[in-house]
Amino acid sequence: MGRLISIASGKGGTGKTTTTANLSIALGKMGYKVLAIDADLTMANLSLVMGIDDADVTLHDVLAGDAHIREAIYATSYENVFLVPGAVDWEHVLKADPRRLPSVIKPLKPEYDFVFIDCPAGLQMDAMNAMMSGEEVILVTNPEISCITDTMKVGIVLKKAGLAVLGFVLNRYGRSENDIPPEAAEEVMEVPLLVVVPEDPKVREATLEGVPVVEYAPDSEGAKAFFKLAEEISRIAGLKAKVIG
Ligand code: ADP
Ligand code: MG
């Protein structure tokens, strides 16, 4: 049985889309069948990060009632990885109803080992609908106190709403001397630290090239961290499957 996992945070620009893309590709390389969904309806960019820019039917058409979700699923150039892209033009954004996200996304669960939902930041209506399309959540934060506390708030709300918080990714670590260290971040977040991803220029370079860093520079420190995250998620998924099954 697959797992529906939202990728969420309190602030924008923390690395949700980067995490979604790299985690999907890393798990695909491990042999899992993965679907990555761009559910950041106003700032859709997952498809650009993953190198697809010519999608005809998008999630926005599905949410407008103009297409079936199956028409919006694309095979990517990455092994075992499929993608539901979003539209970037405002006309499509205006027509798409975010309240439909859970009913569109949840039925896809049995067909994949992992479905990752790249969410907007915060707790507004768009973000809530995207995050509530998952059953579990991975939080992504940067090592700054305001970012950590905002992301912690999102985690608390989602937990209350019934999602299982798998833990958090501490991304872009080492950019500043004032960065909150991993142990302190974990204490504030009160959920497990899944991985520390260092600040790595290769990650940004990869984004610009439209090839996520696990493929673009697999030996870079950033890529290694995302491979480690994939190992961790695979391990957690295996454990839970054993407990339930
Ligand atoms: P979000 O989806 O949360 O808004 P993105 O994943 O789009 O954030 O990341 C924002 C920017 O930060 C992108 O330009 C991305 O390349 C860059 N970035 C993300 N993680 C790292 C990292 N570990 N090192 C360097 N740059 C990063
Ligand atoms: Mg994003």
Side-chain angles (χ1 to χ4, degrees), residues 7-51:
I7 310 288
S9 74
K11 286 202 197 306
T14 56
K16 293 176 297 299
T17 301
T18 304
T19 300
T20 304
N22 284 291
L23 181 56
S24 297
I25 294 169
L27 284 166
K29 282 178 192 289
M30 290 165 73
Y32 292 107
K33 188 178 176 195
V34 182
L35 179 65
I37 300 178
D38 193 345
D40 191 347
L41 298 179
T42 56
M43 298 289 163
N45 61 354
L46 180 63
S47 50
L48 291 180
V49 170
M50 294 182 75

mmCIF file of all heavy atoms in Angstrom, residues 7-51:
data_model
loop_
_atom_site.group_PDB
_atom_site.id
_atom_site.type_symbol
_atom_site.label_atom_id
_atom_site.label_comp_id
_atom_site.label_asym_id
_atom_site.label_seq_id
_atom_site.Cartn_x
_atom_site.Cartn_y
_atom_site.Cartn_z
ATOM 1 N N ILE A 7 4.723 17.600 1.758
ATOM 2 C CA ILE A 7 5.985 18.279 2.069
ATOM 3 C C ILE A 7 5.605 19.725 2.397
ATOM 4 O O ILE A 7 5.130 20.452 1.522
ATOM 5 C CB ILE A 7 6.965 18.243 0.863
ATOM 6 C CG1 ILE A 7 7.111 16.824 0.290
ATOM 7 C CG2 ILE A 7 8.313 18.853 1.244
ATOM 8 C CD1 ILE A 7 7.891 15.843 1.123
ATOM 9 N N ALA A 8 5.802 20.113 3.665
ATOM 10 C CA ALA A 8 5.223 21.379 4.116
ATOM 11 C C ALA A 8 6.211 22.212 4.929
ATOM 12 O O ALA A 8 7.206 21.693 5.437
ATOM 13 C CB ALA A 8 3.990 21.084 4.964
ATOM 14 N N SER A 9 5.900 23.517 5.065
ATOM 15 C CA SER A 9 6.702 24.369 5.944
ATOM 16 C C SER A 9 5.929 25.625 6.305
ATOM 17 O O SER A 9 4.876 25.909 5.722
ATOM 18 C CB SER A 9 8.029 24.751 5.290
ATOM 19 O OG SER A 9 7.817 25.708 4.293
ATOM 20 N N GLY A 10 6.459 26.368 7.280
ATOM 21 C CA GLY A 10 5.797 27.587 7.710
ATOM 22 C C GLY A 10 6.097 28.771 6.801
ATOM 23 O O GLY A 10 5.297 29.680 6.655
ATOM 24 N N LYS A 11 7.261 28.746 6.173
ATOM 25 C CA LYS A 11 7.678 29.855 5.320
ATOM 26 C C LYS A 11 7.996 29.391 3.894
ATOM 27 O O LYS A 11 8.329 28.212 3.702
ATOM 28 C CB LYS A 11 8.932 30.514 5.895
ATOM 29 C CG LYS A 11 8.673 31.369 7.127
ATOM 30 C CD LYS A 11 9.808 32.384 7.292
ATOM 31 C CE LYS A 11 9.858 33.000 8.671
ATOM 32 N NZ LYS A 11 8.630 33.626 9.144
ATOM 33 N N GLY A 12 7.949 30.305 2.954
ATOM 34 C CA GLY A 12 8.318 30.004 1.573
ATOM 35 C C GLY A 12 9.835 29.985 1.421
ATOM 36 O O GLY A 12 10.548 30.542 2.263
ATOM 37 N N GLY A 13 10.308 29.310 0.387
ATOM 38 C CA GLY A 13 11.740 29.341 0.082
ATOM 39 C C GLY A 13 12.606 28.479 0.987
ATOM 40 O O GLY A 13 13.828 28.593 0.972
ATOM 41 N N THR A 14 11.998 27.597 1.781
ATOM 42 C CA THR A 14 12.796 26.771 2.700
ATOM 43 C C THR A 14 13.422 25.561 1.999
ATOM 44 O O THR A 14 14.380 24.984 2.502
ATOM 45 C CB THR A 14 11.933 26.236 3.866
ATOM 46 O OG1 THR A 14 10.824 25.513 3.324
ATOM 47 C CG2 THR A 14 11.437 27.358 4.748
ATOM 48 N N GLY A 15 12.833 25.165 0.852
ATOM 49 C CA GLY A 15 13.361 24.014 0.119
ATOM 50 C C GLY A 15 12.349 22.880 -0.037
ATOM 51 O O GLY A 15 12.744 21.730 -0.249
ATOM 52 N N LYS A 16 11.063 23.187 0.038
ATOM 53 C CA LYS A 16 10.038 22.148 -0.123
ATOM 54 C C LYS A 16 10.082 21.525 -1.513
ATOM 55 O O LYS A 16 10.065 20.308 -1.670
ATOM 56 C CB LYS A 16 8.628 22.716 0.108
ATOM 57 C CG LYS A 16 8.365 23.148 1.525
ATOM 58 C CD LYS A 16 6.995 23.783 1.668
ATOM 59 C CE LYS A 16 6.853 25.057 0.861
ATOM 60 N NZ LYS A 16 7.780 26.137 1.239
ATOM 61 N N THR A 17 10.143 22.376 -2.526
ATOM 62 C CA THR A 17 10.140 21.869 -3.898
ATOM 63 C C THR A 17 11.430 21.095 -4.179
ATOM 64 O O THR A 17 11.413 20.022 -4.792
ATOM 65 C CB THR A 17 9.961 23.040 -4.891
ATOM 66 O OG1 THR A 17 8.719 23.685 -4.581
ATOM 67 C CG2 THR A 17 9.943 22.563 -6.324
ATOM 68 N N THR A 18 12.542 21.629 -3.698
ATOM 69 C CA THR A 18 13.833 20.953 -3.854
ATOM 70 C C THR A 18 13.794 19.586 -3.178
ATOM 71 O O THR A 18 14.273 18.587 -3.742
ATOM 72 C CB THR A 18 14.951 21.825 -3.212
ATOM 73 O OG1 THR A 18 14.913 23.123 -3.822
ATOM 74 C CG2 THR A 18 16.316 21.214 -3.404
ATOM 75 N N THR A 19 13.223 19.522 -1.975
ATOM 76 C CA THR A 19 13.128 18.256 -1.251
ATOM 77 C C THR A 19 12.210 17.279 -1.984
ATOM 78 O O THR A 19 12.540 16.097 -2.136
ATOM 79 C CB THR A 19 12.602 18.498 0.191
ATOM 80 O OG1 THR A 19 13.523 19.368 0.862
ATOM 81 C CG2 THR A 19 12.467 17.208 0.968
ATOM 82 N N THR A 20 11.070 17.777 -2.458
ATOM 83 C CA THR A 20 10.120 16.915 -3.175
ATOM 84 C C THR A 20 10.801 16.274 -4.387
ATOM 85 O O THR A 20 10.722 15.054 -4.596
ATOM 86 C CB THR A 20 8.894 17.724 -3.649
ATOM 87 O OG1 THR A 20 8.298 18.362 -2.527
ATOM 88 C CG2 THR A 20 7.865 16.821 -4.333
ATOM 89 N N ALA A 21 11.488 17.086 -5.177
ATOM 90 C CA ALA A 21 12.111 16.598 -6.407
ATOM 91 C C ALA A 21 13.226 15.589 -6.100
ATOM 92 O O ALA A 21 13.258 14.484 -6.661
ATOM 93 C CB ALA A 21 12.673 17.773 -7.203
ATOM 94 N N ASN A 22 14.117 15.949 -5.195
ATOM 95 C CA ASN A 22 15.273 15.083 -4.923
ATOM 96 C C ASN A 22 14.889 13.799 -4.199
ATOM 97 O O ASN A 22 15.414 12.725 -4.509
ATOM 98 C CB ASN A 22 16.334 15.858 -4.133
ATOM 99 C CG ASN A 22 17.086 16.822 -5.013
ATOM 100 O OD1 ASN A 22 17.857 16.407 -5.886
ATOM 101 N ND2 ASN A 22 16.838 18.104 -4.840
ATOM 102 N N LEU A 23 13.957 13.902 -3.270
ATOM 103 C CA LEU A 23 13.499 12.711 -2.543
ATOM 104 C C LEU A 23 12.786 11.752 -3.510
ATOM 105 O O LEU A 23 13.000 10.532 -3.455
ATOM 106 C CB LEU A 23 12.564 13.146 -1.403
ATOM 107 C CG LEU A 23 11.991 12.070 -0.506
ATOM 108 C CD1 LEU A 23 13.086 11.225 0.123
ATOM 109 C CD2 LEU A 23 11.116 12.702 0.595
ATOM 110 N N SER A 24 11.986 12.307 -4.397
ATOM 111 C CA SER A 24 11.269 11.472 -5.372
ATOM 112 C C SER A 24 12.257 10.712 -6.257
ATOM 113 O O SER A 24 12.133 9.503 -6.456
ATOM 114 C CB SER A 24 10.364 12.339 -6.262
ATOM 115 O OG SER A 24 9.369 12.957 -5.487
ATOM 116 N N ILE A 25 13.246 11.419 -6.767
ATOM 117 C CA ILE A 25 14.199 10.804 -7.691
ATOM 118 C C ILE A 25 15.068 9.778 -6.965
ATOM 119 O O ILE A 25 15.335 8.680 -7.481
ATOM 120 C CB ILE A 25 15.051 11.880 -8.393
ATOM 121 C CG1 ILE A 25 14.150 12.735 -9.288
ATOM 122 C CG2 ILE A 25 16.175 11.251 -9.215
ATOM 123 C CD1 ILE A 25 14.796 13.987 -9.824
ATOM 124 N N ALA A 26 15.484 10.121 -5.724
ATOM 125 C CA ALA A 26 16.318 9.188 -4.953
ATOM 126 C C ALA A 26 15.542 7.900 -4.646
ATOM 127 O O ALA A 26 16.095 6.796 -4.762
ATOM 128 C CB ALA A 26 16.789 9.860 -3.664
ATOM 129 N N LEU A 27 14.267 8.013 -4.283
ATOM 130 C CA LEU A 27 13.468 6.803 -3.999
ATOM 131 C C LEU A 27 13.190 6.030 -5.291
ATOM 132 O O LEU A 27 13.136 4.803 -5.280
ATOM 133 C CB LEU A 27 12.160 7.187 -3.291
ATOM 134 C CG LEU A 27 12.302 7.552 -1.803
ATOM 135 C CD1 LEU A 27 11.044 8.244 -1.288
ATOM 136 C CD2 LEU A 27 12.613 6.318 -0.950
ATOM 137 N N GLY A 28 13.041 6.754 -6.385
ATOM 138 C CA GLY A 28 12.857 6.105 -7.691
ATOM 139 C C GLY A 28 14.064 5.254 -8.047
ATOM 140 O O GLY A 28 13.935 4.121 -8.523
ATOM 141 N N LYS A 29 15.253 5.784 -7.765
ATOM 142 C CA LYS A 29 16.498 5.038 -8.023
ATOM 143 C C LYS A 29 16.575 3.786 -7.156
ATOM 144 O O LYS A 29 17.224 2.803 -7.516
ATOM 145 C CB LYS A 29 17.726 5.913 -7.706
ATOM 146 C CG LYS A 29 18.067 6.943 -8.780
ATOM 147 C CD LYS A 29 19.266 7.767 -8.309
ATOM 148 C CE LYS A 29 19.514 8.992 -9.157
ATOM 149 N NZ LYS A 29 20.027 8.709 -10.500
ATOM 150 N N MET A 30 15.941 3.826 -5.981
ATOM 151 C CA MET A 30 15.946 2.668 -5.076
ATOM 152 C C MET A 30 14.908 1.623 -5.500
ATOM 153 O O MET A 30 14.794 0.580 -4.859
ATOM 154 C CB MET A 30 15.657 3.130 -3.634
ATOM 155 C CG MET A 30 16.791 3.936 -3.015
ATOM 156 S SD MET A 30 16.281 4.833 -1.508
ATOM 157 C CE MET A 30 16.151 3.474 -0.350
ATOM 158 N N GLY A 31 14.145 1.939 -6.545
ATOM 159 C CA GLY A 31 13.193 0.958 -7.070
ATOM 160 C C GLY A 31 11.742 1.200 -6.691
ATOM 161 O O GLY A 31 10.861 0.457 -7.087
ATOM 162 N N TYR A 32 11.489 2.267 -5.947
ATOM 163 C CA TYR A 32 10.104 2.583 -5.578
ATOM 164 C C TYR A 32 9.420 3.327 -6.718
ATOM 165 O O TYR A 32 10.052 4.110 -7.419
ATOM 166 C CB TYR A 32 10.074 3.461 -4.325
ATOM 167 C CG TYR A 32 10.526 2.773 -3.067
ATOM 168 C CD1 TYR A 32 11.762 3.083 -2.495
ATOM 169 C CD2 TYR A 32 9.728 1.834 -2.432
ATOM 170 C CE1 TYR A 32 12.189 2.474 -1.321
ATOM 171 C CE2 TYR A 32 10.141 1.213 -1.265
ATOM 172 C CZ TYR A 32 11.367 1.531 -0.716
ATOM 173 O OH TYR A 32 11.783 0.925 0.444
ATOM 174 N N LYS A 33 8.105 3.082 -6.837
ATOM 175 C CA LYS A 33 7.324 3.835 -7.824
ATOM 176 C C LYS A 33 6.792 5.086 -7.134
ATOM 177 O O LYS A 33 6.109 4.998 -6.111
ATOM 178 C CB LYS A 33 6.164 2.965 -8.333
ATOM 179 C CG LYS A 33 5.400 3.570 -9.487
ATOM 180 C CD LYS A 33 4.299 2.626 -9.951
ATOM 181 C CE LYS A 33 3.467 3.265 -11.047
ATOM 182 N NZ LYS A 33 2.207 2.541 -11.272
ATOM 183 N N VAL A 34 7.150 6.247 -7.688
ATOM 184 C CA VAL A 34 6.895 7.513 -6.998
ATOM 185 C C VAL A 34 6.101 8.482 -7.874
ATOM 186 O O VAL A 34 6.351 8.604 -9.074
ATOM 187 C CB VAL A 34 8.244 8.191 -6.621
ATOM 188 C CG1 VAL A 34 8.007 9.479 -5.850
ATOM 189 C CG2 VAL A 34 9.133 7.249 -5.809
ATOM 190 N N LEU A 35 5.150 9.177 -7.240
ATOM 191 C CA LEU A 35 4.434 10.259 -7.916
ATOM 192 C C LEU A 35 4.687 11.555 -7.150
ATOM 193 O O LEU A 35 4.471 11.614 -5.937
ATOM 194 C CB LEU A 35 2.927 9.965 -7.950
ATOM 195 C CG LEU A 35 2.049 11.046 -8.607
ATOM 196 C CD1 LEU A 35 2.371 11.172 -10.103
ATOM 197 C CD2 LEU A 35 0.565 10.723 -8.423
ATOM 198 N N ALA A 36 5.151 12.577 -7.855
ATOM 199 C CA ALA A 36 5.366 13.893 -7.251
ATOM 200 C C ALA A 36 4.300 14.844 -7.795
ATOM 201 O O ALA A 36 4.119 14.947 -9.006
ATOM 202 C CB ALA A 36 6.766 14.411 -7.588
ATOM 203 N N ILE A 37 3.596 15.522 -6.881
ATOM 204 C CA ILE A 37 2.489 16.400 -7.294
ATOM 205 C C ILE A 37 2.794 17.844 -6.936
ATOM 206 O O ILE A 37 3.108 18.152 -5.783
ATOM 207 C CB ILE A 37 1.178 15.976 -6.590
ATOM 208 C CG1 ILE A 37 0.829 14.529 -6.954
ATOM 209 C CG2 ILE A 37 0.034 16.924 -6.950
ATOM 210 C CD1 ILE A 37 -0.417 14.002 -6.263
ATOM 211 N N ASP A 38 2.690 18.734 -7.910
ATOM 212 C CA ASP A 38 2.894 20.155 -7.636
ATOM 213 C C ASP A 38 1.584 20.768 -7.160
ATOM 214 O O ASP A 38 0.739 21.149 -7.964
ATOM 215 C CB ASP A 38 3.398 20.885 -8.884
ATOM 216 C CG ASP A 38 3.912 22.269 -8.525
ATOM 217 O OD1 ASP A 38 3.604 22.730 -7.406
ATOM 218 O OD2 ASP A 38 4.620 22.879 -9.343
ATOM 219 N N ALA A 39 1.413 20.835 -5.841
ATOM 220 C CA ALA A 39 0.168 21.373 -5.281
ATOM 221 C C ALA A 39 0.348 22.798 -4.755
ATOM 222 O O ALA A 39 -0.484 23.295 -4.006
ATOM 223 C CB ALA A 39 -0.340 20.452 -4.174
ATOM 224 N N ASP A 40 1.439 23.461 -5.156
ATOM 225 C CA ASP A 40 1.609 24.875 -4.818
ATOM 226 C C ASP A 40 0.954 25.657 -5.958
ATOM 227 O O ASP A 40 1.602 26.044 -6.940
ATOM 228 C CB ASP A 40 3.106 25.206 -4.689
ATOM 229 C CG ASP A 40 3.333 26.581 -4.072
ATOM 230 O OD1 ASP A 40 2.359 27.360 -3.978
ATOM 231 O OD2 ASP A 40 4.474 26.877 -3.692
ATOM 232 N N LEU A 41 -0.363 25.851 -5.830
ATOM 233 C CA LEU A 41 -1.159 26.290 -6.988
ATOM 234 C C LEU A 41 -0.813 27.679 -7.513
ATOM 235 O O LEU A 41 -0.917 27.924 -8.710
ATOM 236 C CB LEU A 41 -2.655 26.222 -6.651
ATOM 237 C CG LEU A 41 -3.176 24.812 -6.329
ATOM 238 C CD1 LEU A 41 -4.665 24.860 -5.996
ATOM 239 C CD2 LEU A 41 -2.933 23.841 -7.488
ATOM 240 N N THR A 42 -0.383 28.596 -6.632
ATOM 241 C CA THR A 42 -0.088 29.946 -7.132
ATOM 242 C C THR A 42 1.381 30.117 -7.545
ATOM 243 O O THR A 42 1.704 31.025 -8.292
ATOM 244 C CB THR A 42 -0.437 31.023 -6.081
ATOM 245 O OG1 THR A 42 0.265 30.724 -4.877
ATOM 246 C CG2 THR A 42 -1.928 31.060 -5.806
ATOM 247 N N MET A 43 2.256 29.256 -7.035
ATOM 248 C CA MET A 43 3.694 29.381 -7.329
ATOM 249 C C MET A 43 4.254 28.056 -7.850
ATOM 250 O O MET A 43 5.316 27.613 -7.398
ATOM 251 C CB MET A 43 4.466 29.783 -6.059
ATOM 252 C CG MET A 43 4.077 31.110 -5.499
ATOM 253 S SD MET A 43 4.654 32.451 -6.539
ATOM 254 C CE MET A 43 3.635 33.786 -5.940
ATOM 255 N N ALA A 44 3.528 27.418 -8.755
ATOM 256 C CA ALA A 44 3.932 26.099 -9.231
ATOM 257 C C ALA A 44 5.301 26.156 -9.915
ATOM 258 O O ALA A 44 5.507 26.954 -10.833
ATOM 259 C CB ALA A 44 2.883 25.569 -10.201
ATOM 260 N N ASN A 45 6.254 25.366 -9.470
ATOM 261 C CA ASN A 45 7.562 25.319 -10.134
ATOM 262 C C ASN A 45 8.239 23.952 -10.045
ATOM 263 O O ASN A 45 9.381 23.800 -10.456
ATOM 264 C CB ASN A 45 8.497 26.415 -9.606
ATOM 265 C CG ASN A 45 8.768 26.288 -8.113
ATOM 266 O OD1 ASN A 45 8.179 25.453 -7.439
ATOM 267 N ND2 ASN A 45 9.648 27.106 -7.598
ATOM 268 N N LEU A 46 7.522 22.962 -9.512
ATOM 269 C CA LEU A 46 8.126 21.631 -9.402
ATOM 270 C C LEU A 46 8.502 21.073 -10.780
ATOM 271 O O LEU A 46 9.553 20.464 -10.938
ATOM 272 C CB LEU A 46 7.160 20.664 -8.689
ATOM 273 C CG LEU A 46 7.658 19.236 -8.509
ATOM 274 C CD1 LEU A 46 8.892 19.185 -7.616
ATOM 275 C CD2 LEU A 46 6.562 18.340 -7.932
ATOM 276 N N SER A 47 7.651 21.312 -11.774
ATOM 277 C CA SER A 47 7.942 20.757 -13.097
ATOM 278 C C SER A 47 9.187 21.401 -13.702
ATOM 279 O O SER A 47 9.959 20.732 -14.393
ATOM 280 C CB SER A 47 6.743 20.880 -14.032
ATOM 281 O OG SER A 47 6.262 22.181 -14.013
ATOM 282 N N LEU A 48 9.401 22.675 -13.420
ATOM 283 C CA LEU A 48 10.618 23.334 -13.925
ATOM 284 C C LEU A 48 11.850 22.744 -13.261
ATOM 285 O O LEU A 48 12.853 22.451 -13.912
ATOM 286 C CB LEU A 48 10.568 24.840 -13.661
ATOM 287 C CG LEU A 48 9.550 25.629 -14.464
ATOM 288 C CD1 LEU A 48 9.600 27.102 -14.097
ATOM 289 C CD2 LEU A 48 9.803 25.447 -15.968
ATOM 290 N N VAL A 49 11.753 22.537 -11.938
ATOM 291 C CA VAL A 49 12.867 21.959 -11.198
ATOM 292 C C VAL A 49 13.173 20.551 -11.708
ATOM 293 O O VAL A 49 14.324 20.116 -11.744
ATOM 294 C CB VAL A 49 12.541 21.945 -9.673
ATOM 295 C CG1 VAL A 49 13.550 21.150 -8.882
ATOM 296 C CG2 VAL A 49 12.479 23.373 -9.139
ATOM 297 N N MET A 50 12.121 19.841 -12.147
ATOM 298 C CA MET A 50 12.315 18.464 -12.628
ATOM 299 C C MET A 50 12.494 18.397 -14.138
ATOM 300 O O MET A 50 12.558 17.311 -14.711
ATOM 301 C CB MET A 50 11.160 17.580 -12.162
ATOM 302 C CG MET A 50 11.168 17.427 -10.638
ATOM 303 S SD MET A 50 9.901 16.357 -9.972
ATOM 304 C CE MET A 50 10.528 14.738 -10.379
ATOM 305 N N GLY A 51 12.555 19.551 -14.779
ATOM 306 C CA GLY A 51 12.905 19.591 -16.193
ATOM 307 C C GLY A 51 11.767 19.299 -17.169
ATOM 308 O O GLY A 51 12.003 18.900 -18.304
#
